[in-house]
Amino acid sequence: MPASYFAEVLGEHVELSEGERSALTRLEERTRSLRRGAILQRENEAGGELYIVRSGTVMSYVLLDDGSRQILRFHYAGAMLGVPGLIYRTAPETIAALTDAVVCVFDKATFSRLIADHPRIGALVLALAQIERVALTDRLAAIGRTSAKARVAALLLDLRNRMRAADRSITDSYQLGLTQEEIGDATGLTAVHVNRMLRQVEEDGLIRREAGRVTILDERGLTRAANYIDRYEDLDLSWLPPRD
């Protein structure tokens, strides 16, 4: 088990100094265990804490006026959550555990000290926030302008890539771990429509499903069907401050 899951994620993009790794390890010293369905942060309520996922699956979502739910992102080990709360007095989104999970908890003051002592970590958090923003822009465009099949295909690729950010042993096969309703809430589709699209993608020979596990059989074809761009590739981080 890594001393710091967040350091593992950042270390995929840049070489961290020992001082930076030690600081990130200290950031993850205080943990909180969550049962499936537990609310970590509630939309429009006062917050003040940030989190790093250590194990399990967590989701962020907003509730719409009609009572429906729009899932924004699914988060896996190494993801930093609650960053939007740095600039708002109340939380702009709800964060909840999709499975039993463990998160590391720290406050704004601790994060402020971290980036004051290690400016490059602050710059990396900024970079990751921009990756998330662009990925959400892709999701918005997909929900508004692409077919149901493309939305589901894009989500399958995005989930695999997000899991792989923390676990490089994941290649073409992964445990989906989501209900069709949850996939629907992320893609703007009904559970029935999601079921049809999953069957269609499977019948097209792009994936195989077995016991809740998804295996990507034709990644190039799935990428074409989804019109998907991996936003964790082709990064330019040459502007980052030098290492400690």
Side-chain angles (χ1 to χ4, degrees), residues 30-154:
R30 185 161 64 100
T31 61
R32 183 180 301 167
S33 296
L34 304 172
R35 302 289 293 178
R36 172 178 169 84
I39 301 295
L40 186 61
Q41 168 187 287
R42 198 178 298 276
E43 184 181 0
N44 296 324
E45 291 187 358
E49 292 182 327
L50 291 89
Y51 315 94
I52 293 171
V53 180
R54 195 155 185 85
S55 66
T57 306
V58 179
M59 66 176 172
S60 53
Y61 65 88
V62 294
L63 293 177
L64 308 180
D65 289 342
D66 63 359
S68 61
R69 177 180 67 180
Q70 177 64 54
I71 295 178
L72 305 173
R73 299 303 264 169
F74 299 104
H75 308 281
Y76 301 94
M80 180 181 281
L81 311 179
V83 177
L86 287 170
I87 57 172
Y88 295 104
R89 296 187 184 278
T90 59
E93 61 193 11
T94 296
I95 301 173
L98 262 175
T99 66
D100 290 351
V102 176
V103 298
C104 306
V105 185
F106 53 98
D107 58 22
K108 294 180 181 181
T110 300
F111 184 70
S112 178
R113 289 193 298 271
L114 174 72
I115 61 176
D117 293 341
H118 303 280
R120 194 169 69 137
I121 292 178
L124 281 166
V125 171
L126 170 64
L128 290 178
Q130 290 308 302
I131 294 170
E132 289 293 299
R133 186 194 69 80
V134 174
L136 276 173
T137 300
D138 290 345
R139 175 83 66 81
L140 175 63
I143 289 175
R145 296 296 181 183
T146 66
S147 68
K149 178 182 174 181
R151 295 183 222 174
V152 170

